[in-house]
Amino acid sequence: MTLLLHTLVHRVENDSPDFFDVPEGHRSGYAALVGRPNAGKSTLMNALVGRKLSIVTNKPQTTRHRVLGLLSSDDYQIVLLDTPGVLEPKYGLQKRMMDVVGQTLDEADVVLFLADATKPLDTFTLERLAGRPVVLVLTKIDLVEQAEAVEKAAAYAEAFPFQAVVPVSATEGFNLERVVQEVLDRMPDGPPFFPKDQISEHPERFFVGEIVREKIFQHFREEVPYATTVNIVQYVERVPPEKDLIDAEIVVERDTQKAILIGKGGAALKKIGTAARRDIERFLDRPVFLRLFVKVRDDWRNRDTFLDSYGY
Ligand SMILES: Nc1nc2c(ncn2[C@@H]2O[C@H](COP(=O)(O)OP(=O)(O)O)[C@@H](O)[C@H]2O)c(=O)[nH]1
Ligand SMILES: [Mg+2]
């Protein structure tokens, strides 16, 4: 995390002087989105930023990295940090995912604790938030009766001293401005960390890899998505109408998984490739030529050298 802060400081220092020309009372800070897998963290972040930065599927543990989204106006800049779902780690990759959550919590000015209104009380995450400034965001409110939501909010309020409670529906766009306001109320005065027109800090290739991973999560059941990671091994930008050339390597743990991913006569891989290319083109707003390759790396999720080189 020091590394990130360092990068931020570096960026600010290198920017033009008018970058510091911010109005008095300008606020900036970090808001962490935490909660159990599938609570709706990535959906809320995308809804707040107004762009799909974090991939979303109906499967838990889709998000593996900390994904940064920026919400700026003339008077503020909120750095939203989407995180992997809080869980008991069972393998090396999950351990790293939980380290990411811990580091993000330490850095946050305010924690948005996302709790699914349709699920039982999430005491598992709450136990890890003691002593922090936390706003409860009760998610998926469109799926429950109002009385049920009120009851759930009350039960949560009894379990933890929240600074505020906000029921939302990210898919319906309900109460999102309240979330922003509650975050803003807890942001310190300060200059922006990033240029105001920027919405994230990740390079395009990160999003490209994530889109391919999303298609795999959507297309396959059970263990395949969890045993998969995607590396962008070549990314050649070309001048339109020439298409950008992108090579993505899909890594799995076993030959059987490779066979499933490729499918009969390559049908499954082709389907993923087509769906991913469409979304990548929409995201980048330019045509791309996407090639997918599948590789087997035995037990990569538990091996530090692979986890390091795959960016976890
Ligand atoms: N009905 C409804 N579904 C939601 C809402 N927010 C998220 N979801 C769904 O819940 C699932 C998990 O969402 P996601 O954002 O990936 O959760 P995360 O694991 O916490 O990041 C997806 O299928 C979303 O479409 C909401 O406000 N209403
Ligand atoms: Mg997520």
Side-chain angles (χ1 to χ4, degrees), residues 41-42 54-55 62-63 82-83:
K41 300 175 291 298
S42 298
S54 249
I55 60 173
T62 310
T63 309
D82 185 19
T83 63

Side-chain angles (χ1 to χ4, degrees), residues 31 33 40 68 102 113 148-149 182 196:
L33 287 87
L68 185 149
F113 164 56
E148 197 184 336
E182 295 296 350
K196 285 287 179 87

Side-chain angles (χ1 to χ4, degrees), residues 36-43 46 54-57 59-65 67 82-85:
R36 292 288 270 174
N38 234 27
K41 300 175 291 298
S42 298
T43 307
N46 293 340
S54 249
I55 60 173
V56 172
T57 76
K59 294 187 180 61
Q61 297 178 57
T62 310
T63 309
R64 289 182 185 160
H65 297 88
V67 183
D82 185 19
T83 63

